[in-house]
Amino acid sequence: MKISFHGATRGVTGSCHLVECAGRRILIDCGFFQGRHELGVENGRPFGFEPGTVDWLLLTHAHLDHCGRIPLLRTRGFTGEIIATSATRDLARLVLLDAAGLQDEEARRWQRRAARRGGEKEGPHPLYSVLDVLDCLQSFGRTARYGQPIQLGDGIVATFFDAGHILGSASILLEMSEGDHHRRVVFSGDVGSAGRPLMSDPTLPPEADVVVMESTYGDRPHRPLSASVAELEQAVRDAFDRGGNVVIPAFALERTQELIFHLGQAITAGRLPGLTQVFLDSPMAISATELFRRNAKYLRPDIAAEFARGHDLLDFRGLRFTRDREDSAAINRIHGGAIILAGSGMCNGGRVVHHLKHNIWRPESAIIFVGYAAEGTLGRRIIDGAEEISPFWERIRVRARIHTINGFSAHADQPELIGWHAATKSARTFLVHGEDRAMNALSRRLSKTEIIMPSLDESFAL
Ligand code: ZN
């Protein structure tokens, strides 16, 4: 029995862990590396294992950094079964189709630039196409239900638990036997934060011999959500008083729906100025919002009940969905009183970059970051205090107010991770999905367990 790590090692993206037991191979997640531009190259490199030999892929949730390399897995020979919750399957479809579209767009943009320079066609090639995505979707097999064991091979059973991170997200227990050797291994996936408005609290994991655990926010506690909501509302009021707009780089899944929920509550209660317009300017986030409505049974029971009664908590007066490019471009003509939620959350592409271009040089506007921005992304540079940015090869001064409000995180903070880990009583812990500082800080706080921080492609006996 062994485990090897093929992504999210000493970094927060590219989750991909392979378990081998009794001649069978189980992959947990197959995510994209995101962030620095050169990481794009990393996605195209060999996996570090032979995709054709993998029997099952268990998918914890539909974030790109957990599912983004699935089409590549399939084009390189994977013929096994993908198992996920129904919400994860629906969302993964959306996320992967979006990723294929973005890659295609990026490649075309490079080629146009090269042509204008009079040079040869050059630049990145898409790693996969929309057709590759449609093909890989056929590999989705059985549907996982929280708490219900799924028989894989002889002596291998997987059970999904609600991770409370995004719609349909799961932690996974693998129970494995190889002769007399038995092992219980828990994969945290991404663990959610308790007390959030739409998602259920994470289910505490069962006891296990080994834990593979995320550590994104392993070095800090989050501020309470209520303080973050108040800070958001204040930042919006201040920007509007100054006559500016508010741009919120948005993560299409989860965070965006929570922000819509909070803004809806604030506007309905009269806590934001009367004529506030809220634009959700992301086709993917719009579709994700529709999937939230369709999969409302995965939300907190009280929220699910509201939806079942026909009360749409993700809609309010002043909210506008701008799917079309023309509608998106029209937002540029609004100089004050608009809240613009646009992807991507880390500003490494997507419509938000246009909105930054039109707002970040204006002292009256505000840019509000509500989530994690990986090292090397435009979002991180702005958060770290860049005085100037140059999207689209144009130098633009940063004069808008920059806010970072981390209480909206869909990730557990340090105390929550410690509590989650304690429930496993595990003697051996692999820390993944965190930057060095976060992993080191968390490792100092976990006691009675051997801590390992694996390197890329490193393998260990179980
Ligand atoms: Zn995630």
Side-chain angles (χ1 to χ4, degrees):
M1 230 182 268
K2 75 177 201 185
I3 185 167
S4 53
F5 297 88
H6 305 284
T9 51
R10 294 165 185 276
V12 292
T13 63
S15 276
C16 188
H17 318 305
L18 181 70
V19 173
E20 298 173 51
C21 172
R24 313 305 294 269
R25 295 178 140 208
I26 307 134
L27 198 62
I28 315 291
D29 290 341
C30 193
F32 228 57
F33 294 101
Q34 295 169 280
R36 293 190 308 276
H37 192 69
E38 59 268 32
L39 286 182
V41 177
E42 230 160 285
N43 288 309
R45 291 204 181 117
F47 281 100
F49 56 86
E50 187 49 58
T53 64
V54 175
D55 299 288
W56 299 277
L57 164 60
L58 311 180
L59 185 57
T60 62
H61 66 289
H63 272 149
L64 190 65
D65 58 329
H66 292 257
C67 71
R69 283 189 287 164
I70 295 176
L72 274 181
L73 190 74
R74 166 94 180 200
T75 56
R76 292 179 184 176
F78 171 73
T79 56
E81 179 188 14
I82 304 175
I83 301 175
T85 63
S86 59
T88 294
R89 191 181 53 221
D90 283 359
L91 288 172
R93 178 165 170 263
L94 186 66
V95 167
L96 292 173
L97 286 171
D98 182 70
L102 286 178
Q103 290 172 43
D104 185 57
E105 237 172 68
E106 162 109 352
R108 284 169 195 271
R109 194 161 45 235
W110 272 82
Q111 290 181 5
R112 280 198 301 271
R113 264 186 218 148
R116 283 198 293 269
R117 278 201 304 271
E120 294 289 311
K121 286 188 173 178
E122 56 178 56
H125 292 284
L127 290 167
Y128 48 80
S129 67
V130 166
L131 278 179
D132 295 331
V133 171
L134 294 176
D135 277 347
C136 85
L137 292 172
Q138 292 177 2
S139 299
F140 278 83
R142 285 170 284 178
T143 300
R145 290 184 178 79
Y146 293 141
Q148 293 186 12
I150 297 174
Q151 193 73 39
L152 300 181
D154 276 348
I156 310 175
V157 177
T159 310
F160 287 55
F161 298 91
D162 191 349
H165 169 60
I166 65 165
L167 197 75
S169 66
S171 302
I172 299 173
L173 168 69
L174 264 187
E175 295 169 279
M176 299 178 288
S177 298
E178 197 174 70
D180 295 340
H181 188 52
H182 309 289
R183 275 279 173 268
R184 291 165 62 87
V185 184
V186 170
F187 293 84
S188 69
D190 285 355
V191 180
S193 187
R196 282 160 60 239
L198 298 179
M199 302 309 300
S200 294
D201 293 352
T203 303
L204 278 181
E207 290 185 20
D209 306 300
V210 177
V211 171
V212 178
M213 184 173 162
E214 69 121 327
S215 47
T216 315
Y217 286 107
D219 58 342
R220 70 192 95 160
H222 293 323
R223 297 183 56 205
L225 181 61
S226 56
S228 298
V229 172
E231 193 180 344
L232 171 71
E233 292 178 7
Q234 192 59 50
V236 171
R237 279 192 296 269
D238 289 349
F240 288 0
D241 285 349
R242 295 193 302 270
N245 291 325
V246 172
V247 176
I248 306 181
F251 293 83
L253 300 188
E254 197 57 43
R255 202 86 39 93
T256 292
Q257 288 73 31
E258 285 197 0
L259 285 170
I260 289 174
F261 174 83
H262 288 303
L263 291 170
Q265 303 272 304
I267 287 170
T268 308
R271 293 197 298 275
L272 294 179
L275 285 172
T276 305
Q277 300 185 80
V278 179
F279 294 93
L280 182 54
D281 187 28
S282 156
M284 169 134 117
I286 293 167
S287 297
T289 304
E290 283 161 9
L291 285 179
F292 264 63
R293 294 189 181 114
R294 216 188 277 178
N295 287 282
K297 66 175 184 192
Y298 280 94
L299 301 173
R300 283 190 102 83
D302 52 326
I303 297 288
E306 287 287 323
F307 274 98
R309 275 199 289 276
H311 181 194
D312 187 349
L313 293 163
L314 296 173
D315 195 17
F316 55 85
R317 225 164 57 121
L319 175 65
R320 292 184 49 197
F321 288 178
T322 48
R323 229 180 232 289
D324 296 338
R325 241 173 235 288
E326 294 75 33
D327 293 340
S328 171
I331 301 172
N332 297 338
R333 294 198 289 271
I334 302 174
H335 298 294
I339 301 173
I340 307 158
L341 293 148
S344 73
M346 301 192 195
C347 308
N348 49 342
R351 292 183 179 178
V352 75
V353 186
H354 291 275
H355 297 301
L356 289 175
K357 175 178 161 182
H358 288 278
N359 288 283
I360 204 166
W361 58 274
R362 302 175 60 216
E364 57 271 32
S365 285
I367 317 296
I368 304 180
F369 288 90
V370 291
Y372 189 85
E375 275 176 23
T377 58
L378 176 58
R380 175 62 82 92
R381 283 207 296 285
I382 297 170
I383 290 170
D384 286 346
E387 290 179 359
E388 196 174 85
I389 59 170
S390 45
F392 313 116
W393 313 102
E394 182 184 339
R395 285 163 51 179
I396 299 174
R397 282 288 298 277
V398 176
R399 298 177 68 203
R401 297 269 171 92
I402 309 298
H403 303 262
T404 308
I405 307 179
N406 79 14
F408 293 106
S409 177
H411 283 273
D413 64 4
Q414 189 191 57
E416 289 175 310
L417 286 172
I418 293 168
W420 189 94
H421 183 273
T424 68
K425 298 191 173 136
S426 104
R428 200 173 183 208
T429 302
F430 292 97
L431 288 185
V432 294
H433 204 287
E435 287 172 3
D436 280 344
R437 196 177 63 172
M439 283 201 290
N440 290 330
L442 182 62
S443 71
R444 286 194 292 274
R445 300 293 307 274
L446 297 177
S447 52
K448 297 184 202 146
T449 184
E450 176 196 4
I451 304 270
I452 300 166
M453 301 180 212
S455 306
L456 191 67
D457 295 331
E458 200 173 1
S459 68
F460 302 82
L462 280 176

